[in-house]
Amino acid sequence: SNQTPQRSVYAELCRSLRDDYTMVGNASKNGATCFQLNKTGIALDCNGNWIVGNDSSGARGVRASSLNNVSVRECFVKDFTRGIEFFKVNNGVLVNNTVLSNTDGMFLSQSSGVSASDNVLKNNDNYGITLSASQANVSYNKALNNSVAVIQTENTNFTTIAFNLVDGNKYEGILVYNYSSFNNVSYNTINNNTNYGITFSKYASNN
């Protein structure tokens, strides 16, 4: 369901994961990370369930750190500092997630070979997807009513941003800056963003 559940229907416990996991109900967590992925090669399938925080500083809905070949799919993630975070993840997959009303939606840092597709990023306070010193394929996503839909910063190179719907964002639709080079930004549908649809700035080159 696209409606945030009532507090009485949170059946799942947040946890640290070392094996593949499929949610069977909704989960909530106040003041901390809900699901921490702790083993290479595992998959979290939220199965259309919700992960809900309370906007506490530093909390993540889902976080993976220093892993290879992990995936997060079919999650509804709301009210965290970062909805889903990949830090030093290689060959990760983020697919069919709805990430809304967080400070930042998806945050990729020092990661490579990540595929983010068919996600909805909506009403996040800062950025729908942040790519910091990361290489990824960001395609077929919907980024709606964030401050900035997709931001590339801090040496993010050789990334593809394509076939995304970028609509109604408060500032830029797609922002590429700070030594980000050799990126392919193409075939996106960009409407109704307040400042610019696409901005390249501050030493961004060869894009």
Side-chain angles (χ1 to χ4, degrees), residues 99-178:
V99 184
L100 67 160
S101 300
N102 304 280
T103 305
D104 291 303
M106 292 179 172
F107 196 98
L108 311 182
S109 178
Q110 300 179 51
S111 297
S112 64
V114 175
S115 173
S117 61
D118 297 303
N119 302 288
V120 176
L121 306 126
K122 185 176 181 180
N123 297 330
N124 296 290
D125 294 339
N126 289 341
Y127 309 113
I129 301 179
T130 299
L131 304 164
S132 175
S134 295
Q135 178 271 321
N137 186 330
V138 179
S139 58
Y140 298 100
N141 302 285
K142 295 179 181 179
L144 313 170
N145 304 317
N146 308 281
S147 287
V148 177
V150 182
I151 183 169
Q152 288 185 257
T153 180
E154 300 167 356
N155 302 304
T156 291
N157 306 312
F158 301 102
T159 282
T160 297
I161 301 174
F163 300 103
N164 300 287
L165 172 62
V166 177
D167 192 284
N169 297 282
K170 186 176 179 181
Y171 297 110
E172 275 75 25
I174 298 171
L175 175 58
V176 179
Y177 83 117
N178 206 8

Side-chain angles (χ1 to χ4, degrees), residues 12-207:
E12 283 278 0
L13 295 176
C14 295
R15 64 192 73 198
S16 175
L17 299 177
R18 295 189 60 82
D19 295 292
D20 292 350
Y21 192 73
T22 300
M23 293 177 67
V24 296
N26 303 301
S28 70
K29 188 72 172 181
N30 294 341
T33 295
C34 185
F35 286 102
Q36 176 79 43
L37 278 58
N38 275 335
K39 188 177 180 181
T40 279
I42 67 171
L44 170 62
D45 184 349
C46 295
N47 197 29
N49 290 292
W50 284 84
I51 301 170
V52 180
N54 69 338
D55 293 312
S56 294
S57 177
R60 275 74 166 152
V62 181
R63 187 175 192 268
S65 175
S66 301
L67 300 174
N68 302 322
N69 302 311
V70 295
S71 66
V72 179
R73 65 183 66 238
E74 303 286 350
C75 301
F76 286 81
V77 185
K78 182 180 181 182
D79 293 342
F80 291 91
T81 298
R82 293 175 179 169
I84 301 174
E85 180 178 50
F86 277 6
F87 175 68
K88 294 185 177 179
V89 168
N90 295 314
N91 301 318
V93 173
L94 298 164
V95 63
N96 286 332
N97 301 290
T98 297
V99 184
L100 67 160
S101 300
N102 304 280
T103 305
D104 291 303
M106 292 179 172
F107 196 98
L108 311 182
S109 178
Q110 300 179 51
S111 297
S112 64
V114 175
S115 173
S117 61
D118 297 303
N119 302 288
V120 176
L121 306 126
K122 185 176 181 180
N123 297 330
N124 296 290
D125 294 339
N126 289 341
Y127 309 113
I129 301 179
T130 299
L131 304 164
S132 175
S134 295
Q135 178 271 321
N137 186 330
V138 179
S139 58
Y140 298 100
N141 302 285
K142 295 179 181 179
L144 313 170
N145 304 317
N146 308 281
S147 287
V148 177
V150 182
I151 183 169
Q152 288 185 257
T153 180
E154 300 167 356
N155 302 304
T156 291
N157 306 312
F158 301 102
T159 282
T160 297
I161 301 174
F163 300 103
N164 300 287
L165 172 62
V166 177
D167 192 284
N169 297 282
K170 186 176 179 181
Y171 297 110
E172 275 75 25
I174 298 171
L175 175 58
V176 179
Y177 83 117
N178 206 8
Y179 301 100
S180 290
S181 303
F182 301 104
N183 299 289
N184 176 9
V185 181
S186 59
Y187 302 107
N188 299 285
T189 300
I190 302 174
N191 301 315
N192 303 315
N193 302 285
T194 303
N195 286 351
Y196 302 102
I198 303 174
T199 299
F200 296 93
S201 66
K202 197 175 181 182
Y203 311 114
S205 61
N206 298 302
N207 295 289

